[in-house]
Amino acid sequence: MHAIIPAYLLARLAASAEPHVATASEAAPATLATPRSYRPLRASTHLPVDGGALVVEASPAPDRVLSDARGGVELPGVRVRGEDDPATGDAAADEAFDGLGATFAFLWDAFERVSLDGAGGSLLATVHYGQRYDNAFWNGERMVFGDGDGEVFTGFTRSLSVIAHELGHGVIESAGGLVYAGQSGALNESIADVFGALAEQHSRGQRADEASWLIGEGIFTDAVEGVALRSMAAPGTAYDDDVLGRDPQPAHMRDFVDTTSDNGGVHINSGIPNRAFHLAATALGGFAWERAGRIWYDALTGGAVKPTADFSAFARVTLDTAAREYGEESEEHAAVRSAWIGVGVMEDVVPA
Amino acid sequence: MSYPPDPALHVSVVRTGGIAGIVRCWQVSAGADDAPRWAALISACPWESASPAAPPEGADRFAWELTAELDDEVLRAELADQQLTGPWSTLVDAVRDAQ
């Protein structure tokens, strides 16, 4: 039987420890890492012999460009690594490069999306931005990493959930965007966290019940009392520190925070839709990107979410998406509905 | 935190946003001997023309709220991260270093 092996299967083979696929496990990473020569849509090709038959495999490959701001704030900075260049030896640049690649592989494997724009666009990043700059951000076209101040943050490139969160902002923008203020801004933040958590789980081969659901695990210094920036499973519990205070995220609409800071609390109230995603994903079980992630992704990219959408508008679109793809009586539809009820965005009432 | 008695001058910096969404505050109060240096740093900033923070480009940028009190005068500015350059940046760095 002749078959084309999709990239997601290759990736799964690569991650497999099963003895009967050991050879394939060894071959798959090489396939995924095959040098690419196609532009503008780069692709890896694979020509294995399967029982005497030639099998052709092609999957897209990223086009990454890493730059170094060398402590300044001019972007993009000096180009230090392109797609086919060897590692630079600089940890931040090489970690960012690997994180971009892992996020690209996740988007393709989980959603058949080729890069952030869905059209194979380059993945751009700048490291060593600014002096004691303890932040990572998306500037509309590239992700930018500071080195941290050494007091609170050790740097940001070591966390795949942070890298994929920033790239998630790129996907959201490409899908039509969510205005970065108030509830639509908190949805923007939450969906970026969903991308961050799922890319990390995908990279680690973790199922929903095995995952930490933490964003930015391990980027605090030892001086900070905290495990991560945010917890999607238990918003409000990621840190409790003398200097930083306590994680202010609510997990339910009754605790929604009204504030003008942080663009109307976009990094605070994102805890509510974050918790909803976690509830849906853990109710369904398995790999979270396969069903809960698929529903969120299709809702985001399906054209029904307006840039000014609030939580309940987005919730309705996820519910419609689940009904369309899995049916109104499906466990997926029930899980999504229960999740939004669980965080107080939808009411648990039967229409009269 | 203890301030000099009867400070002639007070500057506070509040930073919100960023990927962490963690609010950080820094402040400094200066007595008469130190006031001229701070007054110079404050007056170098274009408070009058500090417009409300522009809509942020991208995501996860910091937002800054600066307040300076000199005697009876209170100056305030809200700045997007991209606006924190030149004398603004110098003032914020000085406040962070002084704390």
Side-chain angles (χ1 to χ4, degrees):
Chain A
M1 181 174 173
H2 303 172
I4 294 172
I5 307 171
Y8 68 86
L9 273 181
L10 278 174
R12 240 160 248 160
L13 283 170
S16 175
E18 295 295 320
H20 68 281
V21 294
T23 307
S25 292
E26 288 163 19
T31 302
L32 290 166
T34 301
R36 297 127 309 252
S37 54
Y38 296 95
R39 282 182 185 272
L41 187 62
R42 300 172 70 103
S44 60
T45 52
H46 184 44
L47 301 169
V49 175
D50 177 12
L54 189 64
V55 182
V56 178
E57 158 65 14
S59 66
D63 180 28
R64 294 166 281 186
V65 181
L66 254 292
S67 300
D68 185 340
R70 306 212 161 141
V73 295
E74 294 297 318
L75 293 173
V78 180
R79 179 187 165 118
V80 291
R81 186 173 177 188
E83 187 58 44
D84 300 319
D85 296 333
T88 63
D90 174 61
D94 292 331
E95 285 168 355
F97 190 87
D98 292 345
L100 295 176
T103 306
F104 182 96
F106 159 69
L107 290 173
W108 169 250
D109 181 19
F111 308 131
E112 302 86 49
R113 186 181 188 87
V114 186
S115 196
L116 308 185
D117 59 359
S122 297
L123 293 167
L124 309 175
T126 294
V127 294
H128 302 307
Y129 176 86
Q131 295 292 325
R132 60 183 178 181
Y133 194 81
D134 41 2
N135 196 23
F137 65 88
W138 169 256
N139 83 339
E141 62 180 34
R142 68 174 51 242
M143 52 176 319
V144 182
F145 301 90
D147 291 330
D149 57 4
E151 295 169 14
V152 176
F153 294 115
T154 58
F156 296 89
T157 52
R158 67 184 54 186
S159 170
L160 179 56
S161 58
V162 166
I163 293 172
H165 170 104
E166 297 307 336
L167 297 177
H169 283 303
V171 175
I172 292 163
E173 251 177 49
S174 172
L178 283 160
V179 175
Y180 205 65
Q183 286 199 20
S184 59
L187 277 174
N188 194 324
E189 274 304 311
S190 173
I191 295 168
D193 276 352
V194 168
F195 280 113
L198 292 184
E200 196 164 273
Q201 290 168 23
H202 177 265
S203 163
R204 295 173 177 177
Q206 288 178 329
R207 296 173 185 279
D209 61 347
E210 300 167 329
S212 72
W213 294 96
L214 295 170
I215 303 299
E217 189 176 8
I219 66 171
F220 282 137
T221 63
D222 291 342
V224 174
E225 293 287 326
V227 293
L229 301 178
R230 287 182 282 281
S231 167
M232 297 180 72
T237 67
Y239 56 88
D240 188 354
D241 180 77
D242 289 345
V243 174
L244 303 182
R246 186 175 178 178
D247 177 359
Q249 285 213 307
H252 192 280
M253 280 305 280
R254 63 175 163 258
D255 300 316
F256 187 91
V257 177
D258 276 307
T259 175
T260 54
S261 293
D262 184 29
N263 299 115
V266 298
H267 293 89
I268 297 173
N269 292 314
S270 58
I272 295 166
N274 273 0
R275 172 79 175 137
F277 183 80
H278 171 266
L279 286 172
T282 50
L284 292 170
F287 293 122
W289 58 88
E290 290 184 344
R291 291 191 287 169
R294 182 90 228 180
I295 292 166
W296 254 242
Y297 175 80
D298 285 349
L300 172 71
T301 57
V305 177
K306 293 178 183 164
T308 54
D310 61 9
F311 291 175
S312 62
F314 181 73
R316 281 194 299 276
V317 177
T318 60
L319 213 55
D320 291 346
T321 304
R324 189 176 64 245
E325 294 180 11
Y326 298 97
E328 288 196 12
E329 304 302 318
S330 65
E331 63 170 334
E332 291 83 359
H333 186 265
V336 172
R337 185 167 177 277
S338 295
W340 290 114
I341 291 170
V343 299
V345 169
M346 285 184 167
E347 285 183 35
D348 188 9
V349 291
V350 180
Chain B
M1 197 178 303
S2 64
Y3 300 127
D6 191 23
L9 179 152
H10 185 76
V11 187
S12 74
V13 174
V14 178
R15 191 188 75 191
T16 68
I19 185 176
I22 293 173
V23 177
R24 299 296 306 273
C25 304
W26 298 273
Q27 47 196 328
V28 65
S29 292
D33 51 342
D34 212 15
R37 181 174 82 91
W38 286 102
L41 287 171
I42 292 165
S43 62
C45 296
W47 298 88
E48 300 299 319
S49 60
S51 55
E57 297 161 20
D60 296 328
R61 304 298 303 249
F62 289 134
W64 299 85
E65 300 162 21
L66 279 62
T67 307
E69 298 169 43
L70 307 89
D71 301 323
D72 293 339
E73 190 180 14
V74 180
L75 301 167
R76 293 182 199 281
E78 290 185 17
L79 303 171
D81 206 31
Q82 305 92 299
Q83 296 172 294
L84 196 80
T85 56
W88 295 117
S89 176
T90 305
L91 175 63
V92 166
D93 283 347
V95 174
R96 290 179 67 175
D97 287 338
Q99 181 154 326

